[in-house]
Amino acid sequence: MSLPRPATRLGIVLAAIAGLLTLGIGAASAHVSVSSPDASQGGYGKIVFRVPNESDTASTVRLRIQLPTGTPFASVSTEPVPGWTATLTRTALDPPLKDDDGNEITEAVSVVEFAADPGNSGIGPGQFQEFSLSVGPFPDAGSLSFSTVQTYSDGTETAWIDPTVAGQPEPEHPAPTLTLASSSSSAASDGGSSSSAGSSSSDDGSSTTGTVALVLSIVALLLGIGGIVLGLRAGRRTVSS
């Protein structure tokens, strides 16, 4: 026996809503992001860039990361990634910096580029890759943004460079942003608490606005479903009477 027309329409609406929610969640999580297990002001730590491939037909073959120039890192090193080559671009510092031992540092890394080696197809559709740096010391700032350019095998590029402004919708291509734990809270906390505080990323910061918008959309859709259900019940009562 076929379903009554109202129930059929309800099923179609629910299926469409489920598809829209799935697409929305996927889009919100597809940004290049940065996180850290131990980043705190004045300290040294590891930062991890998570790079999802957004293309259905091409692979990601290059990632170019711009490090902060206003507060450059005195120390930058890369974690090897099999099948990828890292290249560091250095810029002269004026005035020079001093390291922890009082030595003068006249240049700092301004750009880190990861490129897929010949024979390596890169990050394919539906895949992601993580690239890690060890840097420091971190500046006395609440957060750091890293403008990043993602290059695909078909020659197209996605520039993750847009700033995220509090109180405004998330931009289409937000720059990966890392929240730093304060040096005082880092010193006061014991082990795991410090790591947890320093691990905020663009998924937790710059994507907050997008997440709120998605939640509000879900609530609106659920309210719409409630209206449909009430309408069906009212129709049944009318038919019964």
Side-chain angles (χ1 to χ4, degrees):
M1 179 182 296
S2 60
L3 293 173
R5 289 183 180 177
T8 303
R9 287 197 296 269
L10 177 59
I12 294 173
V13 170
L14 292 175
I17 290 173
L20 288 173
L21 293 180
T22 301
L23 289 173
I25 293 173
S29 62
H31 299 338
V32 172
S33 63
V34 61
S35 62
S36 174
D38 52 5
S40 62
Q41 298 171 7
Y44 290 75
K46 177 180 182 179
I47 55 177
V48 182
F49 291 86
R50 178 171 295 179
V51 184
N53 191 80
E54 291 190 315
S55 174
D56 295 330
T57 58
S59 299
T60 297
V61 295
R62 191 179 302 271
L63 187 74
R64 182 180 174 88
I65 303 167
Q66 175 74 55
L67 300 185
T69 55
T71 53
F73 295 120
S75 174
V76 176
S77 57
T78 60
E79 183 175 33
V81 180
W84 294 77
T85 296
T87 303
L88 307 183
T89 300
R90 300 179 181 275
T91 301
L93 298 179
D94 185 18
L97 296 176
K98 295 283 188 178
D99 63 15
D100 294 340
D101 298 323
N103 300 315
E104 189 174 82
I105 301 174
T106 59
E107 61 179 15
V109 176
S110 56
V111 175
V112 178
E113 184 174 271
F114 291 91
D117 295 336
N120 176 16
S121 59
I123 310 169
Q127 299 178 341
F128 76 93
Q129 177 69 53
E130 292 184 336
F131 302 91
S132 300
L133 307 176
S134 178
V135 302
F138 289 102
D140 292 330
S143 63
L144 289 176
S145 293
F146 301 85
S147 295
T148 304
V149 177
Q150 183 177 11
T151 303
Y152 289 90
S153 56
D154 60 3
T156 60
E157 292 184 339
T158 300
W160 303 96
I161 60 175
D162 298 334
T164 299
V165 181
Q168 296 186 10
E170 183 184 52
E172 184 177 0
H173 299 106
T177 302
L178 177 69
T179 300
L180 299 177
S182 64
S183 55
S184 58
S185 64
S186 176
S189 59
D190 185 13
S193 298
S194 172
S195 298
S196 174
S199 63
S200 297
S201 68
S202 60
D203 286 338
D204 301 324
S206 64
S207 296
T208 300
T209 304
T211 302
V212 171
L214 179 60
V215 171
L216 292 176
S217 298
I218 293 173
V219 171
L221 290 171
L222 292 177
L223 291 175
I225 294 174
I228 293 174
V229 173
L230 292 175
L232 290 174
R233 291 179 176 175
R236 288 172 184 159
R237 286 196 298 268
T238 302
V239 172
S240 299
S241 61

